[in-house]
Amino acid sequence: MISKRIVLKFPHRLVDQPIVCNLAKYFDLEFNILKAYIIPKEEGLLILGLSGEEENYNKGINYLKKLGVIVQSLSQGIIRNSTRCTHCGVCITVCPTEALVLDTHTRKVHFYENKCIACELCIPACPLRAMEVHY
Ligand code: SF4
Ligand code: SF4
């Protein structure tokens, strides 16, 4: 038995497809949708709890990948390099979960790691390359 929390990024063409239901139908997996977002360029982003027998789990993940879904572990580490960050606020506009928030009193941008879903939208958005992925 395996149980993980994962992030799925759907290309626009797959947003309306019953792909997650197919994980239960074809691979006998149990899923729990934790959060869902539509992000820029109308891609879909889903935070999912997924569990089942390990062989079925792996087959289900391969099914998603073959369809063009990007699958990431939720535990993937995003950090902010505080020596580079100038608190310009650009990243706030792309973060779908409000993990990056402007403190209106100090004018500083706070990074709340517990809200981060590792979608990586802030990585290319940051002009200073202060947001980093650590595998
Ligand atoms: S875009 Fe980069 S430099 Fe600007 S506030 Fe966000 S992390 Fe800091
Ligand atoms: S990766 Fe960046 S944009 Fe995505 S949730 Fe985390 S802080 Fe927000």
Side-chain angles (χ1 to χ4, degrees):
M1 189 78 171
I2 190 167
S3 181
K4 288 189 181 179
R5 292 201 298 167
I6 53 176
V7 181
L8 306 181
K9 291 184 196 168
F10 291 82
H12 177 54
R13 67 186 162 81
L14 296 177
V15 166
D16 295 331
Q17 303 296 314
I19 291 166
V20 174
C21 294
N22 287 346
L23 292 174
K25 192 173 172 185
Y26 299 130
F27 304 103
D28 197 24
L29 298 174
E30 290 183 13
F31 65 87
N32 180 19
I33 296 175
L34 302 171
K35 280 184 182 166
Y37 303 93
I38 297 294
I39 56 179
K41 298 180 201 162
E42 296 187 346
E43 292 172 320
L45 194 148
L46 216 56
I47 314 299
L48 205 67
L50 192 63
S51 59
E53 294 301 324
E54 187 165 356
E55 189 180 347
N56 290 345
Y57 182 93
N58 291 334
K59 283 180 182 171
I61 296 295
N62 282 338
Y63 162 77
L64 293 174
K65 288 180 176 175
K66 277 183 187 164
L67 287 172
V69 178
I70 296 169
V71 183
Q72 292 175 340
S73 166
L74 191 57
S75 60
Q76 182 175 315
I78 301 287
I79 65 161
R80 180 173 61 175
N81 184 328
S82 56
T83 59
R84 285 192 183 166
C85 177
T86 58
H87 300 271
C88 68
V90 171
C91 55
I92 295 168
T93 61
V94 300
C95 180
T97 63
E98 298 184 346
L100 291 155
V101 178
L102 178 70
D103 183 324
T104 51
H105 295 295
T106 62
R107 309 303 298 172
K108 299 278 187 190
V109 174
H110 292 292
F111 176 42
Y112 296 101
E113 292 180 19
N114 59 335
K115 288 188 174 180
C116 176
I117 57 168
C119 69
E120 297 185 26
L121 289 175
C122 57
I123 306 289
C126 175
L128 281 301
R129 297 291 177 262
M131 299 303 293
E132 301 172 354
V133 188
H134 287 249
Y135 295 97

